[in-house]
Amino acid sequence: MTRPSKRERAAHGRSRNTTSFRCLHCGLDISLSAVGTSHRNHCPHCLWSRHLDTTPGDRAADCGARMEPLAITVRGDGEWVIIHRCTGCGVLHANRTAGDDNALPLTRLAVRPLAQPPFPFERLAGL
């Protein structure tokens, strides 16, 4: 069996003629249109993505593996950005949040460092 070409993998993932994609993590059908972004790149329900792009919208990545949401960062203008890590090749991508993203998983990502600190909070009392 031969490996599909980059073009075939991109067409399977999201082609120009489709209006939705199926999330590889939670299995929901997701509309490609999203408030606040022109390149839907993650599921608004579970926040997982797929490694299809090298730069937003180019569909040039060879990997195609699932991308796990790791953290939230905030840009200078206050915009929240999801940091994804590819489960296949380990590349990190920063993806803008969309207006229809589920607030609960976004908040869970944002507070994860406080919920799972790398040191005991009791150490702060001695400072």
Side-chain angles (χ1 to χ4, degrees), residues 79-97:
E79 180 181 34
W80 281 27
V81 177
I82 304 170
I83 306 300
H84 285 99
R85 178 179 55 208
C86 181
T87 59
C89 67
V91 71
L92 295 173
H93 279 197
N95 297 306
R96 297 176 64 191
T97 55

Side-chain angles (χ1 to χ4, degrees), residues 11-104:
H12 176 71
R14 295 183 227 172
S15 72
R16 295 182 199 277
N17 298 329
T18 61
T19 59
S20 67
F21 67 93
R22 179 154 301 186
C23 176
L24 295 177
H25 184 72
C26 70
L28 294 175
D29 287 323
I30 307 302
S31 171
L32 286 177
S33 62
V35 177
T37 182
S38 59
H39 299 288
R40 163 76 78 189
N41 54 22
H42 62 273
C43 173
H45 303 287
C46 69
L47 306 180
W48 281 69
S49 186
R50 184 172 180 191
H51 191 184
L52 296 175
D53 296 345
T54 301
T55 59
D58 69 3
R59 303 299 183 254
D62 284 330
C63 187
R66 298 182 316 156
M67 295 190 77
E68 178 183 12
L70 291 182
I72 296 290
T73 187
V74 182
R75 292 185 174 158
D77 63 0
E79 180 181 34
W80 281 27
V81 177
I82 304 170
I83 306 300
H84 285 99
R85 178 179 55 208
C86 181
T87 59
C89 67
V91 71
L92 295 173
H93 279 197
N95 297 306
R96 297 176 64 191
T97 55
D100 61 349
D101 285 346
N102 186 327
L104 184 58

